[in-house]
Amino acid sequence: MQITLDGQPFTAPLTVTSVEGMLRTIGAPSPQGNYTFINWSQGGTQSQTFATPVNDVTYTANFITGTILTLDPIADAYVNGGKNANNNFGSAISLIDQTNSSPNKSYETFLKFDISTISASVSSAILRVNGRLNNTQTPSIAVEAHNVTNTSWLENTITGNNKPAAQPAILATVNINSTTNQYYQWDLTSLIAGLRSTGISSVTIKLINGNSSNNQVIFNSKEAASNRPQLVIADGAAARATFITKKDNSVIEMGVNVYPNPVKDILNVRTNSKTATLKFYDASGRLVKQQQITGKTIQQINIDYLKNGLYLLKIENETGTTTKKIVVQN
């Protein structure tokens, strides 16, 4: 299987090394032969841009052959505790999740799907719910998916007082980490296949925050105008394309830190040496800029006059010489 990195095609599995914070764009071309893209295991859109993280991260694109079926929920609602424990919110356009020591600030989401038309041989079952954080007080909230065996609840009568109990086992966990609406995904393949193998025709999933916070996760409900919850079912053969990003520590290990990369206008350079010489070479090997800097502090290097493209930065100090590829995007 193939993926794209920064617009260029590569055969998976692919491992690349990048500077921390460097923006990279990955994509999953589809279709590829008989295979159709389903989702990235970590969520996000088919083509997405991310900043190279501190730790190594694996991104997996999932593909499938055969039929893809998208199911809408037949019921969804959130419930609240405390003073609203007897109130029903089934007609709301949003679903709310929050875990808090105060019952008044405790919310849980329930979604029910009719799975009677699904065979037991499903190869993929992904719950997709569009949502966001309502603020960044807690910048990342883990939302757990739990199975609820009692599926007799009704959207217009469920409350905090009569909600069905959920199973303690966590089916999947997804981190909600943005105040911008986007789809998040929970892999429910094992659960759905198991339920269908025993003839069960509906499933209820409870979403609950795994960590206590003072802010909320707001999801779109089935009453929303767009981007409603979905259960995406696929049968047939499955395939995966894996991409691993690793942080490049070579510059930092020599006592040099260079960022951001790609860079626009100003490049920040910090060395642990007393002085250093910076030499910028363009793609043809021509020296286009040279500058002496003092160490121990962050030096801001003006490069706003350099043309867009790839440059080689050579850094010379008393500990040695190192080079780094810099992408200029003025």
Side-chain angles (χ1 to χ4, degrees):
M1 304 301 294
Q2 285 203 326
I3 60 172
T4 60
L5 176 64
D6 300 331
Q8 300 299 313
F10 294 92
T11 299
L14 173 68
T15 300
V16 299
T17 301
S18 305
V19 175
E20 178 186 345
M22 183 177 181
L23 296 179
R24 309 304 299 263
T25 299
I26 54 173
S30 181
Q32 295 187 44
N34 294 326
Y35 287 91
T36 301
F37 171 78
I38 294 294
N39 68 298
W40 289 97
S41 295
Q42 82 286 353
T45 57
Q46 187 171 349
S47 177
Q48 54 185 282
T49 300
F50 64 92
T52 301
V54 174
N55 299 315
D56 297 350
V57 176
T58 298
Y59 298 86
T60 301
N62 297 306
F63 296 82
I64 200 73
T65 61
T67 303
I68 299 174
L69 179 65
T70 300
L71 302 177
D72 297 323
I74 58 175
D76 63 9
Y78 73 86
V79 299
N80 187 205
K83 63 183 180 181
N84 291 317
N86 204 39
N87 292 343
N88 171 259
F89 302 96
S91 61
I93 63 172
S94 297
L95 304 168
I96 303 176
D97 268 339
Q98 183 178 12
T99 297
N100 192 279
S101 58
S102 169
N104 292 326
K105 295 182 179 180
S106 297
Y107 297 83
E108 299 169 347
T109 286
F110 291 81
L111 303 108
K112 180 161 55 174
F113 294 88
D114 180 353
I115 57 173
S116 59
T117 60
I118 300 171
S119 73
S121 60
V122 297
S123 54
S124 175
I126 305 296
L127 174 65
R128 303 180 72 240
V129 188
N130 192 287
R132 61 178 175 83
L133 298 176
N134 69 333
N135 62 57
T136 58
Q137 187 170 355
T138 300
S140 181
I141 295 179
V143 177
E144 302 169 355
H146 293 256
N147 181 33
V148 178
T149 56
N150 181 355
T151 61
S152 63
W153 62 276
L154 300 176
E155 181 178 272
N156 61 353
T157 60
I158 187 173
T159 68
N161 283 335
N162 66 18
K163 65 184 180 183
Q167 298 296 302
I170 301 173
L171 300 172
T173 301
V174 172
N175 291 319
I176 313 300
N177 50 22
S178 174
T179 55
T180 301
N181 270 78
Q182 59 186 285
Y183 269 106
Y184 293 91
Q185 304 179 139
W186 293 259
D187 190 338
L188 306 180
T189 306
S190 296
L191 172 68
I192 300 302
L195 293 177
R196 290 306 296 138
S197 68
T198 58
I200 294 176
S201 60
S202 65
V203 61
T204 290
I205 301 298
K206 182 177 85 168
L207 298 180
I208 184 172
N209 293 1
N211 48 310
S212 180
S213 68
N214 287 318
N215 55 334
Q216 301 172 339
V217 177
I218 309 294
F219 293 116
N220 288 1
S221 75
K222 73 181 185 66
E223 284 76 22
S226 60
N227 298 323
R228 304 176 187 92
Q230 302 172 338
L231 183 61
V232 181
I233 306 295
D235 59 19
R240 292 184 172 184
T242 301
F243 166 74
I244 302 173
T245 179
K246 293 179 175 289
K247 174 185 170 184
D248 185 354
N249 292 312
S250 60
V251 174
I252 297 174
E253 288 169 355
M254 288 195 63
V256 178
N257 195 1
V258 178
Y259 65 95
N261 191 7
V263 58
K264 178 181 180 181
D265 296 337
I266 299 296
L267 181 69
N268 298 300
V269 179
R270 185 184 188 280
T271 73
N272 290 333
S273 59
K274 293 181 180 179
T275 61
T277 301
L278 308 181
K279 296 180 180 180
F280 292 81
Y281 297 86
D282 64 16
S284 67
R286 182 171 60 95
L287 179 65
V288 295
K289 180 180 177 66
Q290 180 171 322
Q291 183 173 334
Q292 292 285 126
I293 65 170
T294 57
K296 307 296 185 180
T297 60
I298 297 174
Q299 302 289 306
Q300 293 189 325
I301 311 302
N302 181 17
I303 57 169
D304 61 357
Y305 62 90
L306 293 181
K307 295 180 180 179
N308 291 350
L310 181 66
Y311 292 81
L312 188 68
L313 171 60
K314 180 179 288 187
I315 305 166
E316 301 172 347
N317 59 26
E318 60 261 34
T319 64
T321 300
T322 188
T323 58
K324 193 64 191 173
K325 292 180 180 178
I326 301 295
V327 178
V328 174
Q329 295 179 344
N330 286 328

